[in-house]
Amino acid sequence: MATVFKNGMALYSQKQFGKDFYSSAIAIDTLSGDVYWSANAFPQNSISEGFGYVMKNDEILLDNVIGTCINDISFDGDDIYSAGYMNDIYESIAAVWKN
């Protein structure tokens, strides 16, 4: 389960049955207090079946495609950007998502 912690306490978490999750990116809007973070899932021995979410607090903001790992998040006004890669056994493609 991917989780965001503050001062040792869990703020937000995301889980999906049968998937191992981890979080690899976080961005905090200091004006609004919103937390943007990643929840990435890769089943064992099958990276091509993984997928990634961008979360805003405890809600899914972006539900990305199969084989996606989100490893960077930033925001500019109302626009949210995330970067990562779509990966399978044979190739890996870098990608940037907006909103």
Side-chain angles (χ1 to χ4, degrees):
M1 179 188 312
T3 307
V4 173
F5 294 93
K6 180 180 180 181
N7 299 330
M9 297 184 65
L11 288 178
Y12 311 112
S13 63
Q14 175 73 11
K15 63 181 178 179
Q16 181 82 15
F17 179 77
K19 306 291 185 181
D20 294 324
F21 270 80
Y22 66 94
S23 183
S24 57
I26 188 170
I28 300 172
D29 185 340
T30 56
L31 295 179
S32 68
D34 290 326
V35 176
Y36 300 88
W37 57 288
S38 65
N40 301 308
F42 290 100
Q44 281 188 330
N45 303 320
S46 184
I47 195 168
S48 64
E49 295 179 14
F51 53 91
Y53 297 126
V54 173
M55 310 292 297
K56 179 180 179 182
N57 303 330
D58 57 354
E59 298 181 359
I60 295 174
L61 186 65
L62 294 176
D63 185 355
N64 288 305
V65 297
I66 288 176
T68 303
C69 173
I70 302 298
N71 54 27
D72 188 45
I73 299 172
S74 63
F75 52 89
D76 180 15
D78 292 331
D79 293 327
I80 309 301
Y81 299 89
S82 62
Y85 59 86
M86 293 177 284
N87 191 33
D88 62 25
I89 295 172
Y90 303 104
E91 63 180 291
S92 181
I93 302 168
V96 173
W97 293 267
K98 177 180 177 183
N99 298 340

